């Protein structure tokens, strides 16, 4: 692959020209990586609901033409100036958020003990890098404010710094996790976003103890990943909550032992769960983005020690309302971003969980299509059929 280093690469990409219209497989030009960037050959990618949300352009500023995609696995083709920890041939996962280790906040410190890391990167409790945190509105690279994609001279916008619906893409090196080359990329690619988000929300933030009870609100891919985290942690009761009872059979594969549809009850679901668990669950994880679900997730945990973790992203005008006594009664409310995983530092160990058979990924993968049929993946997502669809590049 080194023979292409420094050159423009022509390859196929699925371009979204308009909101909500089928993607078009186009021949695109991918420029070489600049300083602190790498160019990746994408081998497998998958479709996440976030791709669909911004493709539909409902409730946000449209940015087209654009190359979507942010869950993927690939190989480093070439590295730009200043990249020292990645080299051609490395197996990697590109991630929509990053870990820069060299941001402005650190460089501005007056201490001579500076280790070139920002406050978030240095903190063991935060993964929200100041420089590389997700920006859904930016369609260009940080280095020069320009796109690395073009079609006959017309720039094509990036998406969350990854744009993996292309056979080759350019990503900031801080958003690339180097992983075990023995790990099957067609499986671990799903760890780039939703699965890690749900898994980490439980393991890193809720932190249920062995034998505890956990309620999961929303049984899509992220919620089932949260349930997988509860299973790994040794929870004795995993209660799944969803308005769609068709998801219940699938949820049982992830260790969900009890299932609740709020529509089947004439009282708030938090009261139903409190009655089921003698006062409330030990932990809850909300994965829907619904304000009502967020309130229920908080109010259904046990007083004194209960912890509720919010994962879903609400509408911009939503507000959270609960009685202050829920806080005074020592219930804890937390939020999380990407499951509190630092992409470069932590994702390799998550991959190893899969390699050691502690984490099961195959059950998340319900469909597979060749790149030429990528629009089928959108059809599966929109119809609610399945969890994750793997897209085989070069096919």
């Amino acid at each position: 692959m080194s023979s292409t280093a420094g050159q423009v690469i022509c390859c196929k990409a699925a371009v979204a020209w308009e909101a909500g219209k089928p993607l078009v497989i186009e021949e695109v030009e991918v420029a070489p990586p600049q300083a602190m960037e790498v160019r990746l050959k994408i081998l497998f990618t998958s479709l996440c609901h976030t791709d669909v949300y911004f493709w539909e352009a409902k409730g946000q500023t449209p940015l087209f033409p654009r190359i979507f995609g942010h869950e993927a696995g690939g190989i480093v083709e070439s590295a730009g100036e200043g990249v020292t920890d990645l080299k051609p041939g490395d197996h990697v996962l590109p991630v929509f958020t990053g870990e820069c280790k060299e941001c402005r906040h650190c460089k501005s410190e007056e201490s001579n003990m500076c280790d070139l890391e920002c406050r978030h990167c240095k903190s063991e409790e935060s993964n929200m890098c100041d420089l590389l945190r997700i920006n859904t509105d930016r369609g260009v690279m940080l280095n020069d404010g320009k796109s690395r994609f073009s079609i006959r001279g017309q720039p094509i916008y990036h998406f969350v710094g990854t744009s993996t619906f292309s056979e080759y893409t350019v990503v900031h090196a801080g958003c690339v996790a180097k992983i075990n080359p023995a790990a099957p990329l067609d499986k671990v690619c799903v760890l780039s976003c939703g699965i890690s988000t749900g898994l980490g929300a439980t393991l890193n933030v809720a932190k249920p103890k062995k034998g505890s009870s956990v309620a999961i609100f929303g049984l899509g891919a992220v919620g089932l990943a949260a349930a997988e985290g509860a299973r790994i942690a040794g929870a004795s009761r995993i209660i799944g909550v969803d308005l769609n009872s068709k998801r219940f059979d699938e949820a049982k594969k992830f260790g969900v032992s009890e299932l609740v549809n709020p529509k089947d009850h004439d009282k708030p679901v938090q009261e139903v769960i409190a009655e089921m668990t003698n006062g409330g669950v030990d932990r809850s994880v909300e994965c829907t983005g619904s304000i009502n679900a967020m309130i229920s997730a908080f109010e259904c945990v046990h007083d004194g020690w209960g912890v509720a973790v919010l994962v879903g992203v609400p509408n911009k005008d939503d507000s959270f309302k609960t009685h202050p006594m829920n806080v005074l009664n020592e219930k804890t409310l937390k939020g999380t971003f990407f499951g509190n995983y630092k992409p470069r530092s932590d994702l390799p160990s998550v991959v190893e969980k899969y390699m050691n058979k502690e984490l099961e990924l195959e059950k998340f993968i319900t469909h597979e299509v060749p790149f030429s049929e990528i629009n089928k993946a959108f059809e599966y997502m929109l119809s609610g059929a399945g969890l994750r669809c793997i897209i085989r590049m070069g096919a």
Side-chain angles (χ1 to χ4, degrees):
M1 288 187 293
S2 60
S3 62
T4 54
Q7 301 177 26
V8 172
I9 289 179
C10 294
C11 68
K12 292 180 180 178
V15 179
W17 290 98
E18 297 180 59
K21 297 294 180 65
L23 307 188
V24 180
I25 303 295
E26 302 274 14
E27 190 83 7
V28 300
E29 295 181 340
V30 185
Q34 295 192 11
M36 296 310 298
E37 298 174 355
V38 290
R39 187 162 56 186
L40 310 179
K41 181 178 183 179
I42 301 298
L43 299 181
F44 299 94
T45 186
S46 63
L47 180 65
C48 173
H49 186 266
T50 303
D51 295 306
V52 176
Y53 179 75
F54 283 90
W55 166 73
E56 291 179 318
K58 295 178 179 178
Q60 77 278 146
T61 303
L63 191 60
F64 295 94
R66 203 170 201 181
I67 297 174
F68 288 101
H70 63 284
E71 284 189 353
I75 299 174
V76 176
E77 175 271 337
S78 60
E81 180 185 352
V83 178
T84 59
D85 57 348
L86 294 167
K87 64 183 186 303
D90 284 344
H91 286 221
V92 296
L93 302 181
V95 186
F96 65 90
T97 186
E99 186 183 349
C100 73
K101 299 185 178 180
E102 294 186 3
C103 79
R104 298 173 298 176
H105 293 275
C106 179
K107 290 183 177 180
S108 68
E109 290 180 356
E110 297 178 358
S111 167
N112 64 356
M113 299 294 290
C114 176
D115 56 2
L116 293 179
E117 295 183 352
C118 76
R119 291 170 297 171
H120 291 285
C121 289
K122 287 192 289 186
S123 169
E124 294 182 358
E125 299 178 352
S126 173
N127 65 346
M128 300 187 74
C129 174
D130 286 330
L131 179 67
L132 298 175
R133 161 183 336 187
I134 186 173
N135 184 333
T136 58
D137 293 330
R138 186 175 63 236
V140 294
M141 299 299 291
L142 282 171
N143 187 293
D144 59 358
K146 295 180 180 180
S147 174
R148 302 290 174 263
F149 299 109
S150 63
I151 296 179
R152 295 177 293 278
Q154 178 185 1
I156 308 296
Y157 291 114
H158 294 249
F159 178 64
V160 294
T162 52
S163 292
T164 61
F165 292 167
S166 175
E167 291 177 324
Y168 287 86
T169 188
V170 177
V171 182
H172 192 287
C175 297
V176 177
K178 180 179 176 180
I179 64 168
N180 184 343
L185 291 173
D186 61 333
K187 303 296 189 297
V188 299
C189 65
V190 299
L191 293 173
S192 292
C193 181
I195 309 308
S196 293
T197 296
L199 184 74
T202 302
L203 293 178
N204 299 336
V205 187
K207 298 180 180 178
K209 297 178 181 179
K210 187 174 182 179
S212 61
S213 58
V214 181
I216 308 294
F217 286 75
L219 299 176
V222 177
L224 293 177
E228 181 78 352
R231 180 191 68 79
I232 292 172
S236 61
R237 297 180 71 179
I238 305 176
I239 301 171
V241 183
D242 202 292
L243 295 170
N244 183 359
S245 297
K246 292 180 180 179
R247 291 178 165 177
F248 288 177
D249 286 341
E250 187 78 24
K252 294 175 183 177
K253 300 177 184 178
F254 295 82
V256 178
S257 53
E258 299 162 78
L259 296 146
V260 178
N261 187 331
K263 294 190 294 186
D264 294 339
H265 301 273
D266 56 5
K267 62 179 69 174
V269 70
Q270 53 265 46
E271 295 181 15
V272 174
I273 293 174
E275 292 175 2
M276 293 171 59
T277 56
N278 191 28
V281 289
D282 301 307
R283 301 289 187 267
S284 71
V285 184
E286 179 281 322
C287 304
T288 71
S290 161
I291 282 295
N292 289 333
M294 292 179 181
I295 294 170
S296 296
F298 179 48
E299 295 184 352
C300 81
V301 299
H302 204 288
D303 56 12
W305 63 79
V307 177
V309 179
L310 306 186
V311 178
V313 179
N315 292 325
K316 62 179 182 179
D317 296 326
D318 286 339
S319 59
F320 186 97
K321 182 179 179 181
T322 189
H323 197 283
M325 284 305 299
N326 286 310
V327 179
L328 295 174
N329 285 334
E330 299 181 10
K331 297 182 179 185
T332 300
L333 180 65
K334 294 185 174 183
T336 182
F337 177 73
F338 193 51
N340 272 38
Y341 284 121
K342 295 178 185 289
R344 296 163 67 188
S345 300
D346 297 335
L347 273 193
S349 64
V350 181
V351 170
E352 292 308 309
K353 283 184 181 292
Y354 168 75
M355 297 297 285
N356 295 332
K357 303 187 184 305
E358 300 172 49
L359 169 64
E360 300 172 13
L361 293 179
E362 285 82 359
K363 57 192 177 184
F364 289 98
I365 300 169
T366 52
H367 297 86
E368 184 175 317
V369 298
F371 187 39
S372 59
E373 298 178 11
I374 190 172
N375 287 301
K376 282 188 177 180
F378 282 76
E379 293 172 12
Y380 293 140
M381 179 73 72
L382 291 169
S383 66
L387 298 173
R388 279 295 185 268
C389 179
I390 300 297
I391 300 158
R392 302 190 310 275
M393 306 302 289

